[in-house]
């Protein structure tokens, strides 16, 4: 189900996470930092669909690894096929996938549990990197 | 054939037990036969020589006696007195027909031939200078002389006897000639066997009779032959000697002809003489080879059945070790102890396999638990930590509330840290981490850059980078150094200085890197040092931790083939700080 319904989402982040408590946490953290949330997806397939549909696209994606239907690694690869400049920040408890995620084109990898400061800091960097490609900054 | 194989050993054992006695028996038998046969051969040849010399002796003696008996006949004596030649010739003719003599004649005391047969032309010739006449005239003794050349130029044996008159005075000489070939053909050559050489020499070593005709014709001088010299002295015997005339090593038996001082020699080449001995050797050798072959075959067949079963057990053990099908190797159908061993091995293998499966199952279960912890609980920790993070800086909180939030946050972080350590221990134990070349210097530098520096204390790290220090380690190896460095920070309550250095050492011929991490913190009391790397062993500082860190460090270091020791920065004074030395084997040839 698409949740790409944030109006005026010109600069922002997409959250792909199946744990609702974590989704709420990330929302609170990003709102505090004035980072817009473009869409929230709870599985890999929805993440890809929303990414395609949302316009404009999010400048960064906060991706979990263990997701229903399709895992975050495969979802990232599909997103990167659609948009090679996509900035995917992995936030996962599965440290074993770090290397594969980075090789697959992830912008960064954070191990759960990470502090809110670390999460928002890395996401801001990813968004700025995305904006630099469009000559804008947050 | 593998010399250490049980099959080879069994074969060698059987061969030793059977073959060696056979060989010893064969050798002893050969030696016995050699000695016996040798003596027999010698005795045979000597007996032959002796019998031949006796035959010759008898023949010559009978010829001499006959002539002697003829010489004393009154008819001869009277005929000589009456100068009646025809009577003498008649007697000589009779003698020639009856004896070995091929020529006979009678002389008077002046040596003049009065009568002869068959060559009557000899009558009237004077033989006074012939030794066989002269000697008789001088001594009145019978004479046998050989070989002498007769009037036709051929060698002959001369027998001469005195003729005495009625008054006993010498009236003449009766001479008879014997062809040496007669002796040879009738006596000597009939006895030749096995390529023998039979010859007869006179008292001076001159050939009278010889199988080599030319020697007879030339009256060859054999006095240089050592055994001829012996027989000339009237000795008999048998010897191996080198014949310089024939240029051959021979076994020669010799025996004297006593009546004449001659000698009969029977000689045979040594290689032929001892042929029976060689034949015995060949027979013994052939017999031994046959017996050895039979015994080896018997040993092989006998041992095959037993060895095959034992080798089957060996193959089964190897297959079990390599987790391959083994049941086909086990001789379980045997009713003996080997069969029982096979049955036991099968049971053991099944039990081992069941245990292996159970262990795998438990390991998988453990991995599942760790996985659940690592993922699901960490997710919950993330929620806790994240939310606490969000509210902890709220200005509306009371100090008490802030403390509570801090404690809750630390607990959640602690929970995450434990999960992290458990995962590392599990990874080390199941050897998920494979070894690969790692740069020690890079690992240290990364740990230094990531060191957790508390806000209220100063942390000074001293390290001189040394690129290219390659070791074989897992990807978790860096954790070991990070843990040690962070421990040094964690356990110091004041500002801390940490000195890190790497030196090279050689241990058991192998190159090692010794990484020294020394701090000026509170140090490690001596009573704690022996237990420091045990699981759940904590230090006595206020630093928090569940005691897994150094256990993990030790596990990582030992997995890489190294070791770690804990000591004092200042030897003997632990209060001056701690010093850890991690020793790791250098990766030769790694880049």
């Amino acid at each position: 189900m698409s949740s790409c319904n944030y109006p005026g989402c010109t600069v922002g982040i997409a959250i792909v996470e199946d744990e609702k408590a974590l989704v709420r946490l990330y929302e609170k953290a990003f709102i505090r930092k004035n980072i817009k949330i473009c869409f929230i997806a709870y599985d890999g397939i929805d993440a890809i669909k929303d990414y395609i549909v949302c316009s404009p696209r999010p400048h960064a994606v906060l991706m979990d690894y263990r997701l229903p239907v399709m895992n975050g690694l495969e979802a990232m690869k599909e997103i990167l096929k659609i948009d090679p400049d996509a900035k995917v920040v992995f936030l996962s408890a599965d440290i074993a996938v770090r290397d594969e995620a980075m090789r697959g084109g992830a912008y960064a990898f954070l191990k759960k549990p990470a502090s809110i400061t670390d999460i928002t800091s890395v996401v801001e960097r990813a968004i700025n990197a995305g904006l630099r490609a469009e000559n804008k900054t947050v | 054939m593998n010399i250490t194989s049980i099959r080879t050993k069994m074969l060698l054992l059987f061969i030793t037990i059977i073959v060696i006695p056979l060989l010893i028996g064969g050798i002893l038998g050969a030696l016995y036969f050699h000695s016996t046969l040798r003596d027999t051969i010698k005795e045979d040849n000597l007996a032959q020589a002796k019998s031949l010399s006796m035959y010759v002796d008898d023949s010559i003696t009978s010829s001499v006696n006959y002539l002697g008996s003829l010489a004393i006949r009154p008819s001869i004596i009277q005929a000589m007195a009456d100068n009646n030649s025809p009577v003498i010739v008649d007697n000589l003719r009779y003698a020639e027909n009856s004896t070995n003599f091929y020529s006979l004649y009678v002389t008077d005391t002046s040596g003049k031939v009065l009568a002869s047969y068959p060559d009557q032309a000899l009558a009237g010739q004077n033989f006074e200078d012939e030794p066989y006449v002269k000697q008789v005239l001088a001594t009145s003794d019978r004479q046998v002389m050989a070989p002498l050349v007769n009037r036709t130029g051929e060698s002959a044996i001369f027998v001469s006897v005195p003729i005495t008159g009625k008054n006993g005075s010498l009236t003449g000489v009766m001479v008879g000639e014997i062809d040496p070939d007669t002796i040879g053909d009738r006596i000597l050559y009939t006895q030749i066997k096995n390529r023998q050489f039979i010859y007869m020499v006179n008292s001076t070593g001159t050939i009278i009779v010889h199988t080599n005709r030319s020697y007879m014709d030339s009256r060859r001088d054999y006095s240089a032959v050592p055994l001829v010299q012996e027989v000339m002295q009237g000795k008999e015997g048998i010897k191996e000697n080198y014949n310089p005339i024939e240029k051959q090593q021979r076994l020669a038996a010799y025996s004297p002809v006593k009546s004449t001082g001659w000698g009969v020699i029977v000689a045979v080449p040594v290689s032929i003489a001892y042929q029976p001995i060689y034949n015995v050797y060949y027979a013994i050798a052939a017999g031994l080879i046959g017996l050895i072959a039979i015994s080896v075959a018997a040993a092989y067949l006998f041992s095959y059945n037993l060895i095959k079963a034992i080798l089957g057990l060996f193959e089964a053990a190897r297959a079990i070790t390599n987790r391959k099908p083994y049941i086909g190797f086990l001789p379980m159908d045997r009713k003996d102890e080997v069969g029982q061993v096979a049955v036991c091995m099968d049971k053991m293998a099944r039990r081992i396999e069941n245990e292996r499966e159970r262990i795998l199952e438990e390991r998988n279960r453990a991995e599942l638990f760790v996985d659940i912890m690592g993922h699901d609980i960490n997710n919950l920790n993330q929620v806790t930590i994240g939310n606490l993070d969000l509210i902890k800086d709220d200005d509306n909180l009371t100090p008490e509330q802030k403390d509570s939030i801090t404690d809750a946050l630390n607990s959640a972080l602690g929970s995450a840290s434990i999960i992290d350590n458990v995962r590392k221990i599990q990874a080390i134990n199941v050897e998920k981490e494979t070894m690969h070349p790692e740069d020690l210097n890079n690992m240290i530098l990364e740990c230094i850059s990531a060191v957790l520096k508390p806000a209220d204390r100063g942390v000074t790290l001293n390290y001189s980078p040394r690129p290219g220090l390659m070791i074989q380690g897992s990807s978790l190896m860096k954790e070991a150094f990070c843990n040690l460095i962070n421990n040094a920070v964690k356990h110091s309550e004041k500002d801390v200085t940490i000195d890190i250095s790497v030196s090279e050492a050689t241990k058991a011929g192998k190159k090692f890197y010794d990484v020294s991490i020394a701090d000026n913190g509170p140090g490690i009391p001596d009573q704690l040092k022996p237990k420091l790397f045990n699981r759940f062993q904590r230090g006595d500082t206020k630093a928090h931790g569940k005691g897994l860190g150094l256990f993990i460090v030790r596990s990582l270091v030992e997995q890489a083939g190294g070791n770690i020791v804990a000591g004092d920065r200042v030897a003997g004074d632990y209060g001056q700080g701690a010093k850890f030395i991690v020793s790791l084997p250098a990766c030769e040839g790694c880049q």
Side-chain angles (χ1 to χ4, degrees):
Chain A
M1 181 180 74
S2 171
S3 61
C4 179
N5 54 1
Y6 281 79
C9 185
T10 55
V11 173
I13 182 114
I15 299 173
V16 183
E17 171 62 66
D18 63 326
E19 193 66 46
K20 289 194 165 66
L22 284 173
V23 170
R24 287 197 295 276
L25 172 66
Y26 300 150
E27 280 184 296
K28 287 184 229 174
F30 293 142
I31 286 168
R32 277 199 187 182
K33 289 287 182 177
N34 285 324
I35 297 173
K36 297 283 190 282
I37 298 167
C38 293
F39 70 80
I40 297 169
Y42 296 95
D43 65 64
I45 293 290
D46 274 350
I48 296 166
K49 283 180 188 168
D50 287 349
Y51 197 90
I52 293 170
V53 163
C54 275
S55 180
R57 287 176 177 153
H59 290 85
V61 178
L62 185 64
M63 181 78 78
D64 185 26
Y65 172 64
R66 260 190 226 193
L67 296 167
V69 187
M70 179 188 281
N71 68 45
L73 207 55
E74 288 167 12
M76 175 185 77
K77 287 175 185 171
E78 292 303 319
I79 288 171
L80 285 172
K81 281 182 194 172
I82 299 162
D83 179 7
D85 291 327
K87 301 290 181 278
V88 179
V89 175
F90 262 89
L91 177 58
S92 175
D94 285 299
I95 189 66
V97 302
R98 178 203 294 264
D99 288 342
E100 198 178 344
M102 297 308 292
R103 277 198 303 270
Y107 176 80
F109 187 98
L110 287 168
K111 185 167 132 353
K112 284 178 184 170
S115 67
I116 291 298
T117 307
D118 288 344
I119 294 170
T120 53
S121 166
V122 171
V123 164
E124 280 176 337
R125 284 209 309 270
I127 290 172
N128 282 333
L131 285 172
R132 273 196 292 278
E134 297 176 6
N135 295 314
K136 293 180 189 174
T137 55
V138 163
Chain B
M1 184 182 269
N2 184 358
I3 197 71
T4 61
S5 154
I6 192 171
R7 187 193 298 273
T8 308
K9 286 178 183 171
M10 185 70 84
L11 270 175
L12 289 174
L13 177 65
F14 272 113
I15 287 168
T16 303
I17 291 171
I18 296 171
V19 169
I20 289 183
L22 282 175
L23 276 175
I24 293 172
I27 291 168
L28 289 175
L31 288 173
Y32 169 76
F33 279 113
H34 176 95
S35 172
T36 305
L37 281 174
R38 198 183 184 98
D39 292 343
T40 303
I41 289 166
K42 284 185 175 180
E43 284 167 10
D44 278 351
N45 279 275
L46 181 58
Q48 187 183 14
K50 285 164 75 171
S51 67
L52 287 174
S53 69
M54 283 171 61
Y55 278 133
V56 171
D57 198 17
D58 284 347
S59 177
I60 298 297
T61 302
S62 65
S63 297
V64 171
N65 288 339
Y66 184 88
L67 208 62
S69 66
L70 192 62
I72 60 173
R73 282 189 185 174
S75 57
I76 294 291
I77 297 169
Q78 188 61 52
M80 284 186 70
D82 297 340
N83 206 18
N84 189 349
S85 302
V87 169
I88 300 173
V89 170
D90 276 345
N91 279 282
L92 293 179
R93 178 172 50 239
Y94 183 77
E96 193 269 344
N97 290 335
S98 314
T99 63
N100 293 333
F101 295 116
Y102 69 86
S103 175
L104 296 104
Y105 44 89
V106 171
T107 74
D108 61 15
T109 54
S110 67
K112 177 181 157 191
V113 177
L114 299 176
S116 67
Y117 186 84
D119 186 3
Q120 295 187 29
L122 292 177
Q125 291 185 29
N126 195 301
F127 284 175
E128 69 172 336
D129 289 330
E130 297 294 342
Y132 46 87
V133 171
K134 192 173 181 178
Q135 194 66 19
V136 173
L137 291 174
T139 63
S140 299
D141 286 333
R142 296 173 177 180
Q143 301 292 327
V144 178
M145 295 184 179
L148 293 176
V149 181
N150 63 11
R151 60 198 170 282
T152 61
E154 294 171 341
S155 289
I157 299 169
F158 289 85
V159 179
S160 51
V161 298
I163 303 171
T164 56
K166 290 179 183 171
N167 57 3
S169 60
L170 184 68
T171 57
V173 180
M174 184 175 283
V175 179
E177 291 181 24
I178 300 173
D179 185 352
D181 280 334
T182 304
I183 302 293
D185 291 341
R186 291 183 186 176
I187 299 175
L188 299 181
Y189 302 156
T190 58
Q191 301 301 310
I192 288 178
K193 56 185 179 180
N194 293 338
R195 293 169 55 187
Q196 287 172 322
F197 299 90
I198 300 182
Y199 55 95
M200 187 165 70
V201 297
N202 68 5
S203 58
T204 61
T206 305
I207 291 291
I208 305 174
V209 178
H210 199 291
T211 45
N212 187 332
R213 183 75 211 191
S214 65
Y215 290 173
M216 285 175 62
D217 294 340
S218 61
R219 291 171 292 287
R220 191 76 181 264
D221 182 9
Y222 259 48
S223 60
V225 180
L227 55 89
V228 169
Q229 293 167 7
E230 299 229 351
V231 81
M232 280 157 56
Q233 295 168 24
K235 295 178 184 173
E236 68 178 18
I238 182 161
K239 284 186 181 182
E240 288 178 30
N241 84 142
Y242 181 73
N243 186 317
I245 297 168
E246 306 291 345
K247 296 187 177 54
Q248 201 176 49
Q249 184 77 9
R250 290 181 176 179
L251 177 70
Y254 51 94
S255 180
V257 180
K258 289 187 169 58
S259 62
T260 58
W262 299 345
V264 171
I265 294 96
V266 178
V268 61
V270 167
S271 60
I272 294 169
Y274 295 136
Q275 190 62 44
I277 295 176
Y278 305 147
N279 291 342
V280 167
Y281 282 157
Y282 299 149
I284 289 174
L288 276 178
I289 290 170
L291 283 171
I292 290 170
I294 291 168
S295 64
V296 168
Y300 186 82
L301 286 171
F302 180 75
S303 66
Y304 177 77
N305 185 264
L306 181 62
I307 296 302
K308 186 182 173 202
I310 295 173
L311 289 176
L313 292 175
F314 162 71
E315 290 296 333
R318 195 155 63 174
I320 291 168
T321 306
N322 295 328
R323 299 195 68 201
K324 290 191 176 161
Y326 65 89
I327 200 73
F329 295 116
L330 287 176
M332 290 171 66
D333 53 340
R334 289 178 73 101
K335 301 288 183 267
D336 57 10
E337 288 86 344
V338 176
Q340 289 172 21
V341 170
V343 168
C344 288
M345 274 184 73
D346 179 40
K347 286 182 184 167
M348 272 168 51
R350 288 178 197 279
R351 196 172 301 156
I352 289 169
E353 191 56 31
N354 291 340
E355 283 298 307
R356 195 202 304 266
E357 283 172 8
R358 187 183 65 78
I359 289 167
L360 270 174
E361 217 176 285
E362 289 185 6
R363 193 179 84 175
N364 290 339
R365 197 177 302 126
E367 284 181 12
L368 175 65
F369 296 155
V370 172
D371 190 53
I372 291 170
M373 271 200 309
H375 180 268
D376 296 352
I377 298 178
N378 258 345
N379 267 352
L380 297 173
N381 281 335
Q382 178 69 76
V383 173
T384 306
I385 290 167
N387 280 293
L388 288 171
D389 255 346
L390 286 176
I391 63 172
K392 75 176 190 293
D393 295 325
D394 189 337
D395 293 331
N396 296 322
L397 290 172
T398 66
E400 266 182 23
Q401 286 169 331
K402 285 191 180 179
D403 280 345
S404 294
I405 290 168
T406 303
D407 286 345
L409 196 55
N410 288 338
S411 289
L413 286 169
S415 163
S417 172
I418 289 172
I419 291 169
D420 211 29
N421 284 337
V422 168
R423 279 187 128 177
K424 285 175 194 170
I425 292 170
Q426 190 233 12
I428 294 167
N429 285 341
V430 299
E431 296 180 342
K432 279 183 182 173
E433 299 293 334
T434 56
M435 296 299 188
H436 48 264
E438 290 277 353
D439 191 323
L440 192 56
N441 180 69
N442 287 348
M443 284 193 276
I444 295 171
L445 288 172
E446 285 172 20
C447 289
I448 290 171
S449 68
V451 72
L452 303 167
K453 293 185 181 177
D456 57 344
R457 289 186 282 129
V459 176
T460 305
L461 287 140
N462 299 320
Y463 173 65
S464 298
R466 286 183 59 188
L469 304 174
M470 302 305 293
I471 60 162
Q472 282 280 357
S474 66
S475 53
L476 284 175
M477 180 57 78
K478 189 180 82 172
E479 299 280 335
F481 299 107
C482 293
N483 192 295
L484 290 171
I485 295 170
N486 283 323
N487 268 358
V489 174
K490 190 166 75 175
H491 289 285
S492 301
E493 293 178 350
K494 305 174 202 173
D495 295 349
V496 66
T497 299
I498 302 169
D499 297 315
I500 303 168
S501 63
V502 183
S503 58
E504 291 175 18
T506 301
K507 297 169 191 176
K510 222 171 146 11
K511 184 177 166 187
F512 277 72
Y513 294 125
D514 289 346
V515 182
S516 168
I517 301 170
D519 63 64
N520 61 349
I524 302 165
D526 293 335
Q527 67 270 20
L528 279 182
K529 287 189 179 74
K531 301 178 282 187
L532 206 60
F533 299 100
N534 294 348
R535 254 188 300 196
F536 309 122
Q537 177 63 45
R538 297 187 57 183
D540 61 354
T541 68
K542 293 179 184 169
H544 65 79
K546 293 296 179 287
L548 286 172
L550 287 180
F551 172 76
I552 291 172
V553 169
R554 190 189 75 175
S555 299
L556 285 168
V557 169
E558 287 178 354
Q559 188 189 45
N563 72 306
I564 180 169
V565 292
D568 305 324
R569 188 175 66 87
V570 174
D573 185 2
Y574 77 85
Q576 299 288 329
K579 181 175 174 181
F580 287 86
I581 298 178
V582 175
S583 191
L584 292 164
C587 179
E588 308 282 357
C590 292
Q591 292 183 358

